[in-house]
Amino acid sequence: MLIYICEDQENELLMLKHHLNAFAKEKLFHYDLKSFPTGDELIENYKQAACKPVLLFLDIYMDGSNGMETAKHLRDIGYTGGIIFTTASTEHAMDSYEVNALYYLQKPYDHRHFTNAMERCTDLFRQVQQNFTFSVRQKKITMPYADIVFFETGRHTVILHTLSDTFTFSESLSNIMGTFCDVDSFLPVGRSYLINLNHVSGSRNHDLLMSDGSVVQIPVKKRSEILTCVERWKSLSCFPANVKN
């Protein structure tokens, strides 16, 4: 699991690494880490990297592109992972909704506050660790849950969409829905689609816009229910408020 940190103050960077290491030991998970002093450097590295980060820690006030601008740019070019902002100010707290941030971690913070932020990533980490396996022309393919944008039913087949590819294989969408029924981030949209809520980028004319540019049509009778579920997921995935307790 790859994590990016964007922080221009060395002491703040070291403190964040300390909390991250302590949390990883407590939860027994392994991660790789890359750090950047500016948002512009992070963006350039992201564009060229074959392995994309699962989680970003972004300081908001930096030279060049600030953390909020960096987050918006990354979302625009397809980043769907988690974002946690770290800052001494609450000025941009409400703006974090726009980029579907997981948490707004206000400096100075202690390990309890850091743990609160990381616990917002539970579903994200679980998706990274879970994989969906299917066969195309007798070749087995394993796909991380986090990479799946949505499934749609075809002619006696199921079509799986990712950000860069589509795969068609013999299966029924009802069986796929049964496989994902306990995964909170996957939502059936009528009988034709199963979407990953983390890849919903917006809505248009009562239909859903997905992060790969696709449009998922919502059945008329399901519009209110589906759009409510999407909004609820977005609200649960964000925590822009001051974390002081």
Side-chain angles (χ1 to χ4, degrees):
M1 178 170 62
L2 179 60
I3 296 175
Y4 279 8
I5 296 176
C6 194
E7 173 60 67
D8 60 352
Q9 298 295 319
E10 184 65 23
N11 61 325
E12 297 288 351
L13 175 61
L14 292 174
M15 182 60 67
L16 184 50
K17 288 181 177 179
H18 168 76
H19 286 301
L20 187 56
N21 285 334
F23 183 84
K25 289 179 180 179
E26 293 166 9
K27 301 299 181 180
L28 300 177
F29 76 85
H30 172 76
Y31 69 94
D32 295 310
L33 183 67
K34 288 187 177 182
S35 60
F36 306 90
T38 69
D40 296 324
E41 290 183 42
L42 185 152
I43 289 170
E44 286 306 309
N45 186 276
Y46 175 88
K47 289 178 178 178
Q48 299 175 19
C51 181
K52 305 301 185 183
V54 172
L55 176 64
L56 308 176
F57 287 92
L58 293 177
D59 185 21
I60 288 185
Y61 297 104
M62 302 178 292
D63 292 336
S65 298
N66 66 34
M68 192 61 64
E69 293 168 343
T70 299
K72 289 178 180 178
H73 186 89
L74 289 169
R75 291 299 195 210
D76 287 343
I77 61 177
Y79 177 66
T80 59
I83 296 174
I84 294 176
F85 288 112
T86 61
T87 179
S89 169
T90 60
E91 178 184 359
H92 294 279
M94 296 306 297
D95 295 336
S96 63
Y97 278 113
E98 296 183 22
V99 293
N100 199 25
L102 292 170
Y103 208 89
Y104 198 87
L105 189 57
Q106 188 176 355
K107 303 174 184 177
Y109 53 84
D110 58 22
H111 192 64
R112 178 170 59 90
H113 292 147
F114 181 85
T115 298
N116 288 341
M118 292 299 287
E119 286 179 349
R120 292 278 171 164
C121 307
T122 299
D123 187 72
L124 185 69
F125 294 157
R126 182 161 60 90
Q127 284 195 54
V128 171
Q129 295 167 354
Q130 290 179 298
N131 297 302
F132 175 69
T133 301
F134 57 100
S135 296
V136 176
R137 298 186 184 90
Q138 299 183 332
K139 179 182 178 181
K140 281 193 173 183
I141 298 174
T142 297
M143 183 72 57
Y145 283 12
D147 290 351
I148 299 171
V149 177
F150 68 99
F151 296 94
E152 69 173 309
T153 188
R155 188 175 179 83
H156 307 298
T157 61
V158 168
I159 305 169
L160 185 160
H161 296 256
T162 71
L163 287 173
S164 57
D165 293 295
T166 59
F167 302 89
T168 302
F169 56 98
S170 298
E171 185 55 277
S172 69
L173 188 62
S174 60
N175 286 342
I176 299 296
M177 289 180 179
T179 299
F180 286 85
C181 65
D182 292 326
V183 184
D184 293 341
S185 58
F186 280 80
L187 176 71
V189 178
R191 298 181 179 179
S192 299
Y193 301 98
L194 176 67
I195 65 168
N196 185 342
L197 288 164
N198 292 315
H199 282 281
V200 177
S201 60
S203 62
R204 183 176 64 200
N205 298 328
H206 304 292
D207 293 326
L208 298 177
L209 303 177
M210 307 303 292
S211 58
D212 67 338
S214 299
V215 177
V216 169
Q217 297 181 335
I218 307 175
V220 175
K221 293 182 179 180
K222 293 282 187 179
R223 282 177 179 171
S224 178
E225 175 187 344
I226 297 299
L227 292 174
T228 297
C229 289
V230 170
E231 290 304 313
R232 182 183 301 120
W233 181 260
K234 287 183 178 180
S235 68
L236 291 174
S237 298
C238 298
F239 195 84
N242 191 322
V243 299
K244 288 184 177 180
N245 293 316

